[in-house]
Amino acid sequence: MQPHVLVVEDEDALAELLQYNLKKEGFRVTVAADGEEAMILVDERQPDIILLDWMLPKVSGIEVCRRLRGRQETRNIPIIMLTARGEEADRIRGLDTGADDYIIKPFLMNELFARVRAILRRIRPGLADDKVVVGEISIDRVAHRVSRAGRDIHLGPTEFRLLDYFMQHPGRVFSREQLLDAVWGSDVYVEARTVDVHVGRLRKALNNGHETDPIRTVRSAGYALNAE
């Protein structure tokens, strides 16, 4: 599954350049032009990493970073600050506010991509690796293979994407709407109950011959993949 990058940049030319090059590198990209829009987009669908400009209209990048770090549901989203402010005091302030990295404009695209990948490998290895293991379950994105306790599991494409997303965030509860947006996409209309059908199919495939169901149903909240 493509890592989702939120670019928060008010300079249209730079925002378009980042979007174009990130897509070429295999990322899924959303763009916000100011701090308020960024907060709304994060609430609608959490990105895997944020590229955040310091000087933004309405709400500054520093304030966006502070607010995200102050909320339980967003405090672990990786953030790279992009700014023309190169003084040491500014870099320290950005990092102290909660940024994971700090890049001074102008910058080389290849350097930015290398830093994005390095942070994803460190903080969210499930997005950077071709093979991911959670408990007894293993997924190989290149070979498109899944196994549990050494037993091969055959999944349809939707169930594969659904399991892949769960394995990126073990233990986290997702609502039907969040799963629809992440797995099917926000531009496709699918009824929320469709998620139940595909979760049922995924469960049936994973649980064949096993007593423990790795997918947990949380009443009135959604579904989660148990971390162990």
Side-chain angles (χ1 to χ4, degrees):
M1 187 172 291
Q2 293 175 308
H4 177 204
V5 181
L6 173 60
V7 174
V8 190
E9 173 59 62
D10 64 325
E11 295 181 26
D12 291 341
L14 180 55
E16 290 178 9
L17 186 63
L18 286 167
Q19 183 176 34
Y20 173 77
N21 284 282
L22 284 164
K23 286 183 175 179
K24 278 183 60 179
E25 291 294 311
F27 295 96
R28 190 168 72 255
V29 185
T30 304
V31 177
D34 59 63
E36 284 187 2
E37 185 182 7
M39 296 300 298
I40 292 171
L41 290 175
V42 169
D43 286 338
E44 290 177 351
R45 182 176 184 178
Q46 284 198 17
D48 296 303
I49 190 168
I50 299 174
L51 303 183
L52 180 61
D53 184 30
W54 181 309
M55 302 295 290
L56 291 170
K58 299 182 180 179
V59 180
S60 72
I62 281 288
E63 178 61 18
V64 169
C65 186
R66 188 191 66 78
R67 291 182 187 181
L68 292 175
R69 290 294 179 253
R71 294 163 50 185
Q72 179 67 35
E73 63 272 22
T74 59
R75 64 177 49 176
N76 293 321
I77 300 175
I79 297 173
I80 297 178
M81 296 290 297
L82 309 178
T83 178
R85 303 170 69 111
E87 292 79 6
E88 182 180 0
D90 291 325
R91 292 199 298 271
I92 292 172
R93 183 184 173 196
L95 294 170
D96 282 347
T97 304
D100 297 277
D101 203 348
Y102 189 104
I103 297 183
I104 299 171
K105 299 176 182 177
F107 49 80
L108 297 174
M109 286 293 170
N110 287 339
E111 179 186 2
L112 175 62
F113 300 152
R115 294 198 190 191
V116 168
R117 292 194 185 94
I119 288 176
L120 289 177
R121 278 195 302 270
R122 186 177 76 249
I123 299 178
R124 299 200 171 173
L127 283 169
D129 296 338
D130 293 329
K131 295 182 180 179
V132 183
V133 178
V134 176
E136 297 179 323
I137 303 171
S138 173
I139 188 168
D140 186 327
R141 294 181 175 126
V142 175
H144 212 274
R145 295 181 63 180
V146 176
S147 64
R148 182 177 185 186
R151 173 179 63 88
D152 286 340
I153 296 171
H154 302 287
L155 299 177
T158 301
E159 286 72 37
F160 186 91
R161 294 196 306 272
L162 187 60
L163 177 62
D164 189 358
Y165 191 67
F166 276 133
M167 292 183 71
Q168 292 174 29
H169 312 275
R172 179 176 163 186
V173 178
F174 291 99
S175 67
R176 293 184 181 93
E177 291 73 19
Q178 287 173 320
L179 290 172
L180 279 174
D181 202 24
V183 177
W184 280 263
S186 57
D187 56 344
V188 177
Y189 175 74
V190 181
E191 291 189 1
R193 291 292 176 181
T194 302
V195 174
D196 299 337
V197 174
H198 288 280
V199 169
R201 292 176 182 171
L202 179 57
R203 272 182 162 142
K204 184 177 180 180
L206 292 174
N207 298 343
N208 184 20
H210 294 266
E211 295 181 356
T212 305
D213 186 353
I215 299 177
R216 178 166 49 98
T217 300
V218 181
R219 188 175 180 181
S220 301
Y223 300 100
L225 178 71
N226 289 326
E228 298 181 357

